[in-house]
Amino acid sequence: MRIRAYAAVEPGHPLRPFEYEVGELGANEVEIDVKHCGICYSDLSMWKNDWGMTQFPFVPGHEVVGTIGAVGSSVKHLKPGQSVGLGWFSRSCMECRQCMQGDHNLCAGAEGTIVGRFGGFAEKVRADKNWVIPLPDSANISTAGPLMCGGATVFTPIVESGIQAGDRAGVIGVGGLGHMALRFLRAWGCEVYAFSTSPEKEDDSLHLGAHRFVNTKQQGAIESLAGSFDLILVTVNADLPWDAYIAALKPRGTLHVVGALGSITASVFPLIVGQKSISASPVASPAVTAQMLEFAALHQIGPIVERFSLSDANDAFTHLEAGDARYRIILDNDIP
Amino acid sequence: MRIRAYAAVEPGHPLRPFEYEVGELGANEVEIDVKHCGICYSDLSMWKNDWGMTQFPFVPGHEVVGTIGAVGSSVKHLKPGQSVGLGWFSRSCMECRQCMQGDHNLCAGAEGTIVGRFGGFAEKVRADKNWVIPLPDSANISTAGPLMCGGATVFTPIVESGIQAGDRAGVIGVGGLGHMALRFLRAWGCEVYAFSTSPEKEDDSLHLGAHRFVNTKQQGAIESLAGSFDLILVTVNADLPWDAYIAALKPRGTLHVVGALGSITASVFPLIVGQKSISASPVASPAVTAQMLEFAALHQIGPIVERFSLSDANDAFTHLEAGDARYRIILDNDIP
């Protein structure tokens, strides 16, 4: 069987129609008929081979929502026709300590959906059954795609940090990740602050659930909040005034980083005297992804999206790269 | 009443006999008859006014062990004659959120025993009742002093990190703090590694409970342990190969810093993909100090000490400053 997709043949080259051959579906595999696919900034980075690990022809797409077309012979808990999502990973070893303790996302052998595999800018995509997550009945299928990578990534520290309703949480960056974090934290019952260098995002931030917007370009804006946050989530890839944000934490507070790639330099003494910590996490485990989808369905949380047809994926990439996406892009599959 | 002590009148000047006047004991105060007083490196730093907050005349000493001489009118749970210890703090506000949730050590108004107060290089020292910790009956009074600051400081992350018996823990630095951490972690049931730049400390490290000694001056020594530690405790004040130690952590592992003053620079990507964290903590709370003393008594854990008379405190300072202390110095009170 051949699968129709969109691929770039070299770094940064336009995506063109592309077909690839697949064999029989593996016993533990699931084949998803793609309905919608979100675009994550990492699709752009992989397309340009920024991380030196892209294989070409390259089919992007790892925020997939669709219905199951077929399941392998060992798949018992999923059925054809069921609505499902697929995120950054498509497979993990299922044998290592991390997989066996539920941290499949920390498996050293985990395979990215677009790393050495063909992704979701396609009519179909295949993945291991354990990474194909059923959508709750009340999920909004047309906007769930970005929850599968970006949404689950910001949800993980909310679940795992121990932050509770009534605690004060900050989100640095109101973008593809940050805008979902604001919604999750508001629904979690927290007092939510949005930190951004873009004052024009204030209205959106408040609409998304922030109780307060902090324009970090204003002198002393961060400093004036010293000692007041239980958790601050870093959703931007930028060099930040780390010590100022650490000072903004309460005693025992945590600065948690997702989606950044540089380095952090922090003074040790304020960490010590406030018993503070710096933590980080990658994309979510399957279990946390499922929990996130249930939480999102319960509170009707989804991303704010702009829509393109899959056949216009190049325009969507251009729009994202220009920094114009508000706040997440979804491609609707129009492969006939 | 006058209290006889040893004080320096200016930064770095020799300690000389000194007397100071005290009034009536406060309702919530306890007066300790000092028997022994450990020396912590922070006594040296304060003596030299390295942190710009020393008041002169300066009486060092915040690892006090003795018996209660008198208690204030509101003190019900402590009695004259009882054996007690006193550490870095002598008082906290008892009203703020931190005090009310048991984190008195994180109280913004906490008063250091030697910061604006006269410390334990004296015949007597006074402190708030909540910071005077009873010693268990089976405690070794002659060596318990250094447990009150250094011991409690390294015990806090053991209690609070969630590390369990069977987990692998590393201790960076085999010195005043580190050598007690090795003993605590061994008694906690962990697999214990000592990291040191001093190969001559290998025998002591193994004797103290380390299962393995790592000479960090050997090329690749840290790197060869990648992915294997649940917790690594930093007990030295030095610029370390942070990324190498973070790489040595297992997924979800923690690098925990006590007693350092510089800054940490760490690459973010390894923290993210391994869901790792960097944390820190100061001296212990009263409750954790009491728990530490019980644990130390149960397992007969104490520091390895060298002894000086209080009247030879200047020699002891010289010995400590030269880096020659193995591993903690205790002054025995010889004020007649």
Side-chain angles (χ1 to χ4, degrees):
Chain A
M1 188 179 83
R2 295 175 76 77
I3 291 179
R4 290 173 293 172
Y6 284 85
V9 293
E10 287 190 55
H13 279 217
L15 298 165
R16 304 278 188 215
F18 166 74
E19 293 190 11
Y20 65 94
E21 190 72 29
V22 289
E24 198 179 340
L25 195 63
N28 288 307
E29 280 188 313
V30 172
E31 189 171 271
I32 303 169
D33 293 328
V34 178
K35 288 215 172 342
H36 314 282
C37 189
I39 307 183
C40 183
Y41 209 89
S42 53
D43 287 307
L44 261 186
S45 302
M46 285 290 293
W47 172 57
K48 297 190 288 183
N49 198 19
D50 284 346
W51 303 331
M53 65 182 189
T54 310
Q55 293 179 27
F56 293 89
F58 169 65
V59 178
H62 62 274
E63 294 188 333
V64 174
V65 164
T67 52
I68 294 179
V71 301
S73 59
S74 294
V75 180
K76 305 291 180 227
H77 72 304
L78 298 172
K79 302 256 177 291
Q82 194 171 357
S83 293
V84 293
L86 174 69
W88 175 256
F89 285 124
S90 279
R91 185 187 181 87
S92 56
C93 80
M94 302 305 292
E95 295 175 345
C96 71
R97 185 73 65 94
Q98 278 66 48
C99 282
M100 294 305 289
Q101 65 192 21
D103 293 332
H104 307 78
N105 54 329
L106 306 181
C107 170
E111 295 177 16
T113 299
I114 61 169
V115 184
R117 305 175 66 106
F118 295 125
F121 286 19
E123 57 173 336
K124 295 171 185 294
V125 65
R126 291 178 170 188
D128 187 274
K129 64 179 181 181
N130 299 108
W131 286 94
V132 175
I133 316 297
L135 298 182
D137 290 342
S138 54
N140 182 343
I141 291 172
S142 75
T143 58
L147 295 175
M148 295 307 303
C149 178
T153 296
V154 296
F155 190 74
T156 294
I158 299 174
V159 173
E160 302 213 345
S161 68
I163 193 169
Q164 294 182 315
D167 289 349
R168 186 181 287 182
V171 175
I172 303 176
V174 181
L177 293 173
H179 88 288
M180 289 189 275
L182 293 176
R183 283 187 160 165
F184 280 128
L185 284 163
R186 178 62 181 252
W188 202 258
C190 295
E191 184 184 10
V192 185
Y193 282 53
F195 292 90
S196 173
T197 55
S198 308
E200 71 277 11
K201 289 184 178 172
E202 177 163 1
D203 286 349
D204 280 355
S205 296
L206 301 178
H207 178 70
L208 285 158
H211 293 87
R212 190 170 149 196
F213 179 84
V214 182
N215 174 0
T216 57
K217 282 194 171 160
Q218 284 186 341
Q219 188 76 24
I222 307 167
E223 289 75 5
S224 71
L225 296 164
S228 68
F229 288 89
D230 297 282
L231 175 69
I232 297 178
L233 276 187
V234 180
T235 73
V236 296
N237 182 15
D239 191 32
L240 298 173
W242 301 107
D243 282 345
Y245 280 115
I246 288 166
L249 296 171
K250 281 183 194 168
R252 289 187 180 270
T254 299
L255 183 73
H256 189 94
V257 183
V258 295
L261 293 172
S263 66
I264 289 179
T265 296
S267 299
V268 176
F269 190 69
L271 290 170
I272 287 180
V273 296
Q275 201 163 332
K276 299 175 180 180
S277 60
I278 300 166
S279 57
S281 59
V283 295
S285 68
V288 168
T289 304
Q291 184 181 353
M292 177 277 302
L293 288 171
E294 289 161 9
F295 187 78
L298 175 66
H299 292 280
Q300 289 295 297
I301 292 171
I304 295 177
V305 301
E306 297 176 295
R307 311 195 77 91
F308 290 74
S309 292
L310 178 52
S311 55
D312 292 327
N314 291 300
D315 295 339
F317 265 16
T318 303
H319 187 64
L320 176 61
E321 194 164 17
D324 293 336
R326 292 292 180 278
Y327 283 89
R328 206 79 180 172
I329 298 170
I330 292 180
L331 303 177
D332 299 314
N333 185 6
D334 60 347
I335 294 177
Chain B
M1 189 180 84
R2 294 176 74 78
I3 291 180
R4 291 173 294 172
Y6 285 85
V9 292
E10 287 191 55
H13 279 219
L15 298 165
R16 305 277 188 217
F18 166 75
E19 294 189 11
Y20 64 95
E21 191 71 31
V22 290
E24 198 178 341
L25 195 61
N28 288 307
E29 280 189 313
V30 173
E31 188 169 89
I32 303 169
D33 292 330
V34 178
K35 288 215 171 343
H36 314 283
C37 189
I39 307 183
C40 182
Y41 209 89
S42 52
D43 287 308
L44 262 186
S45 303
M46 286 289 295
W47 173 57
K48 297 190 288 181
N49 197 18
D50 284 346
W51 304 330
M53 65 181 188
T54 310
Q55 294 179 28
F56 293 89
F58 169 65
V59 178
H62 62 274
E63 293 188 334
V64 174
V65 164
T67 52
I68 293 179
V71 300
S73 58
S74 294
V75 180
K76 306 291 179 226
H77 73 304
L78 298 172
K79 304 254 177 292
Q82 193 172 356
S83 293
V84 293
L86 174 68
W88 176 256
F89 286 123
S90 277
R91 184 187 182 85
S92 55
C93 80
M94 302 305 291
E95 295 175 347
C96 70
R97 186 73 64 93
Q98 279 65 50
C99 282
M100 293 305 289
Q101 66 192 20
D103 293 332
H104 309 76
N105 54 329
L106 306 182
C107 171
E111 296 176 16
T113 299
I114 60 170
V115 184
R117 304 175 66 104
F118 295 125
F121 285 17
E123 56 174 336
K124 296 174 187 294
V125 66
R126 291 179 171 187
D128 187 273
K129 64 178 181 181
N130 298 108
W131 286 94
V132 176
I133 316 295
L135 297 182
D137 290 342
S138 55
N140 182 343
I141 291 172
S142 76
T143 59
L147 294 176
M148 294 308 300
C149 178
T153 296
V154 297
F155 189 74
T156 294
I158 298 173
V159 173
E160 301 213 348
S161 68
I163 193 168
Q164 295 182 314
D167 289 349
R168 184 181 287 182
V171 175
I172 303 176
V174 181
L177 293 174
H179 88 288
M180 288 189 274
L182 293 175
R183 283 187 160 164
F184 280 129
L185 284 163
R186 179 60 179 253
W188 202 257
C190 296
E191 184 183 10
V192 185
Y193 281 54
F195 292 89
S196 173
T197 55
S198 308
E200 72 276 12
K201 291 184 177 171
E202 176 162 2
D203 286 350
D204 280 354
S205 297
L206 300 178
H207 177 70
L208 285 158
H211 294 88
R212 190 170 149 197
F213 178 85
V214 182
N215 174 358
T216 56
K217 282 193 171 161
Q218 284 187 341
Q219 187 77 24
I222 306 166
E223 289 75 4
S224 70
L225 295 165
S228 68
F229 288 89
D230 296 281
L231 176 69
I232 297 178
L233 276 186
V234 180
T235 72
V236 296
N237 182 14
D239 191 34
L240 298 173
W242 301 106
D243 281 345
Y245 281 116
I246 288 167
L249 296 171
K250 284 183 192 167
R252 288 187 179 271
T254 298
L255 183 73
H256 189 95
V257 182
V258 294
L261 291 173
S263 65
I264 290 180
T265 296
S267 300
V268 177
F269 191 68
L271 290 170
I272 287 181
V273 297
Q275 201 163 333
K276 297 175 179 179
S277 59
I278 299 165
S279 56
S281 59
V283 296
S285 69
V288 168
T289 304
Q291 184 181 354
M292 177 277 301
L293 288 171
E294 289 161 9
F295 187 79
L298 175 67
H299 292 281
Q300 289 294 298
I301 292 171
I304 296 177
V305 301
E306 297 177 296
R307 311 194 77 90
F308 289 74
S309 293
L310 178 52
S311 56
D312 293 327
N314 291 300
D315 295 340
F317 265 14
T318 303
H319 188 63
L320 176 61
E321 194 165 18
D324 292 336
R326 290 294 178 277
Y327 285 90
R328 207 79 180 172
I329 298 171
I330 292 179
L331 302 177
D332 299 314
N333 186 7
D334 60 349
I335 294 177

